[in-house]
Amino acid sequence: MTRTSASSSSSPSPVGGFDAAIAQQAVEWWVSLRSGNVTDTLRAACVRWREAHPEHERAWRHIEKADERMRHVSGTLGAALAQAALQAPRSRGRRMAVKAIAGALFMGTGAWVASDPLAVQWLRADARTGVGERRTLRLADGTTLVLNTRSAVRLSMQGNVRRIALIAGEIMVTTGKDAGHVPPRPLIVVTAQATLQPMGTRFVVRQAAQGSDGESVQVFEGAVRVTPNATGRDADGARIVHAGEQTQFTSRDVAPVTPLAEGDGAWADGMFVAVDMRLDAFLAELSRYRRGYVRCDPGVAALRVSGTYPLGDTDAILAVLPHALPVSVASVTRYWVTIGPRG
């Protein structure tokens, strides 16, 4: 890895009293040294960069102090850090993530979230969960809400409509009878793509990852009406999903329904059920419940996995894979694991 030296006159847009180029270079080093794939050569190169100019060292010291101050927003900062670490060094995704982290560390939380609507929503959420955490809420209307890993919601139980806004992640909703109101008020769940109205039901809604399109609903009891956000002739309109069915939807249309699969919704009970699942898909899903990066070697990606696994110990799940499949598990650190062919 190489970094160029910069002076305070080289950038037209200072960031929090620092040259923007130097701030982003410092963040690049910070991300690289936290990637889990660190060598003595990389550490020495970072030291040389810090010693090349007084502003480099000042920026590095600022990052160290800011990192300590911002532990309370580690959910969103950690997501940006993970995104940067997993992108190719010269990719657009890496540059965007580094820019977001630089804003967080050099401009402060307020300026950072002002430029990142998802971060704003996350910090304003009424309830949220961290990595690997699940949380159950019992709302005033009798509704039970279970938040899966890395999830956040805003709640509004006032007025003529009960509203749950899914900001990120995945929730299971068991609708309450709203006994204090006659007739019961409508309950709606709002996502980035659509509005869902349950009809006496238990269902799961999963929000699309940031920057991607497509969300899903799984219905276990009753029915759910899914209405995409788009209106007019370009939108395909609403669709009712009944018990035992699931579908995916975007802001423009709702896909045809398909039957629920075995184990759908098992996460609410702390279990992960895989039925003839590709290994790469299995590991991608497992990664939602643990910090760091799990890489699947293309040579073993098509292997199939079946079984029921407790989500409370993802290390144990990874450890059992070599006993069921011809694979090896190599860990640089707990936060950087590669699943590859057995040697």
Side-chain angles (χ1 to χ4, degrees):
M1 178 187 306
T2 61
R3 295 290 186 275
T4 59
S5 178
S7 67
S8 59
S9 62
S10 63
S11 173
S13 52
V15 179
F18 290 83
D19 177 85
I22 292 177
Q24 291 187 27
Q25 289 170 21
V27 169
E28 276 280 7
W29 284 115
W30 187 66
V31 168
S32 298
L33 292 175
R34 283 174 166 241
S35 68
N37 190 22
V38 182
T39 64
D40 290 340
T41 301
L42 182 66
R43 293 189 184 94
C46 179
V47 170
R48 288 195 299 272
W49 177 84
R50 290 168 58 182
E51 293 174 343
H53 195 285
E55 284 297 291
H56 294 186
E57 180 64 17
R58 188 169 78 93
W60 185 260
R61 295 296 184 187
H62 178 87
I63 281 185
E64 292 180 326
K65 293 179 181 178
D67 182 28
E68 286 296 322
R69 291 197 306 269
M70 296 186 65
R71 297 288 182 178
H72 64 289
V73 292
S74 59
T76 42
L77 180 58
L81 175 60
Q83 179 187 357
L86 301 183
Q87 298 284 341
R90 299 182 183 277
S91 67
R92 181 174 180 270
R94 172 86 164 214
R95 291 193 300 270
M96 292 177 63
V98 166
K99 184 177 180 181
I101 296 169
L105 296 177
F106 286 87
M107 293 189 297
T109 309
W112 175 43
V113 298
S115 64
D116 184 346
L118 179 60
V120 173
Q121 295 178 59
W122 185 276
L123 293 174
R124 292 179 178 174
D126 294 306
R128 65 178 74 88
T129 54
V131 178
E133 179 186 3
R134 293 180 305 281
R135 182 178 177 187
T136 299
L137 304 175
R138 289 176 175 81
L139 308 183
D141 68 331
T143 294
T144 299
L145 187 63
V146 185
L147 282 71
N148 200 0
T149 177
R150 302 182 186 181
S151 300
V153 295
R154 295 200 72 183
L155 307 171
S156 176
M157 294 290 134
Q158 306 300 320
N160 297 324
V161 177
R162 299 171 286 165
R163 175 187 171 100
I164 300 170
L166 178 58
I167 296 169
E170 185 174 24
I171 55 174
M172 176 178 283
V173 183
T174 304
T175 56
K177 296 182 178 179
D178 200 26
H181 292 79
V182 180
R185 297 166 297 170
L187 172 67
I188 63 172
V189 175
V190 179
T191 73
Q193 308 285 349
T195 297
L196 297 89
Q197 184 170 357
M199 294 168 273
T201 186
R202 181 169 63 93
F203 63 105
V204 165
V205 184
R206 182 163 170 173
Q207 178 80 280
Q210 187 178 19
S212 63
D213 200 17
E215 300 173 348
S216 65
V217 61
Q218 301 169 333
V219 181
F220 300 94
E221 298 174 9
V224 175
R225 180 182 179 88
V226 183
T227 305
N229 288 342
T231 57
R233 63 184 181 182
D234 292 333
D236 283 358
R239 183 186 299 272
I240 296 179
V241 185
H242 296 91
E245 297 176 339
Q246 62 182 328
T247 189
Q248 295 183 327
F249 54 91
T250 69
S251 61
R252 307 190 71 82
D253 58 64
V254 184
V257 299
T258 58
L260 289 176
E262 182 182 348
D264 282 342
W267 61 262
D269 295 318
M271 303 302 294
F272 178 15
V273 178
V275 180
D276 196 32
M277 195 173 187
R278 279 179 59 104
L279 180 59
D280 53 358
F282 176 88
L283 294 174
E285 187 67 16
L286 184 66
S287 294
R288 298 175 60 216
Y289 299 90
R290 59 181 287 121
R291 296 187 182 278
Y293 176 48
V294 179
R295 176 181 177 271
C296 183
D297 187 289
V300 298
L303 293 176
R304 297 285 173 167
V305 181
S306 295
T308 300
Y309 305 89
L311 287 169
D313 191 348
T314 58
D315 284 336
I317 297 176
L318 292 174
V320 79
L321 288 179
H323 299 283
L325 298 171
V327 299
S328 63
V329 179
S331 301
V332 178
T333 70
R334 183 182 184 277
Y335 304 101
W336 194 284
V337 180
T338 298
I339 311 301
R342 183 178 296 163

